[in-house]
């Protein structure tokens, strides 16, 4: 992988200007204006988590590339919260984001991603039930309703990519 070549180059002190990669967290992005004009902004369906996955899928859809500039320095300052209520909300937001990334992937046909999303929800529910994570199980059941409520917006977003 390109991450391995970055490490190898770091060890010998021989850097390339840019290393192509499949993904990099949005907290560390520098995006050319031309890319934003072509790809657009973050999709408003994402509250938190997953917006970077969605954006990179759209970048690839437009045949653009993602890379790491090893000479760049990034600092991402955030607060960690260990509250149990925040933990379950964070868990569900991540599952919603993963679900949205499945159905909003412009590189796959809509019918396929819809089936994939239903399997994804069923998998999450099953895992939580098997592991006796009752609160997560009940919250995960709501993902079916969430998908139904967001379906019109999902179709609109996919049409705008």
């Amino acid at each position: 992988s390109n991450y391995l070549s970055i490490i190898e180059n770091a060890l010998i002190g021989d850097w390339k200007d840019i290393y192509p990669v499949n993904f990099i967290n949005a907290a560390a992005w520098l995006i050319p204006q031309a890319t934003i004009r072509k790809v657009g902004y973050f999709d408003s369906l994402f509250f938190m988590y997953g917006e970077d996955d969605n954006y990179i899928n759209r970048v690839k859809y437009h045949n653009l590339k993602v890379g790491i500039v090893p000479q760049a320095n990034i600092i991402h300052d955030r607060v960690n919260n260990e509250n149990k209520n925040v933990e379950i909300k964070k868990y569900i937001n991540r599952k919603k984001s993963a679900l949205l990334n499945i159905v909003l992937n412009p590189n796959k046909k809509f019918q396929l991603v819809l089936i994939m999303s239903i399997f994804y929800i069923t998998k999450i529910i099953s895992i939580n039930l098997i592991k006796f994570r009752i609160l997560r199980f009940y919250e995960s059941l709501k993902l079916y309703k969430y998908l139904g409520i967001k379906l019109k917006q999902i179709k609109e977003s996919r049409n705008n990519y």
Side-chain angles (χ1 to χ4, degrees), residues 14-107:
D14 183 24
W15 293 104
K16 295 179 185 175
D17 291 337
I18 298 176
Y19 292 84
V21 294
N22 290 322
F23 180 80
I24 187 75
N25 289 333
W29 286 359
L30 297 172
I31 304 174
Q33 287 182 354
T35 299
I36 294 170
R37 282 192 291 275
K38 189 169 192 173
V39 176
Y41 298 106
F42 284 136
D43 194 311
S44 62
L45 281 166
F46 289 90
F47 166 68
M48 186 183 293
Y49 308 115
E51 68 281 357
D52 42 10
D53 292 307
N54 173 259
Y55 200 87
I56 286 180
N57 280 334
R58 290 164 38 212
V59 164
K60 292 175 184 176
Y61 178 77
H62 288 283
N63 296 313
L64 300 172
K65 295 180 181 179
V66 177
I68 291 177
V69 177
Q71 290 79 13
N73 294 307
I74 303 293
I75 298 172
H76 183 195
D77 189 21
R78 65 178 177 180
V79 176
N80 288 329
N81 194 333
E82 300 298 324
N83 182 319
K84 198 72 166 171
N85 289 334
V86 171
E87 182 184 317
I88 193 70
K89 287 179 184 175
K90 188 185 272 190
Y91 170 81
I92 291 302
N93 280 335
R94 286 185 175 160
K95 297 306 174 194
K96 286 178 180 177
S97 293
L99 177 62
L100 288 173
N101 271 305
I102 293 168
V103 295
L104 288 172
N105 187 340
N107 301 300

Side-chain angles (χ1 to χ4, degrees), residues 106-117:
N107 301 300
K108 293 185 166 75
K109 300 242 181 247
F110 182 68
Q111 294 82 358
L112 175 62
V113 296
L114 201 55
I115 291 167
M116 290 170 62
S117 67

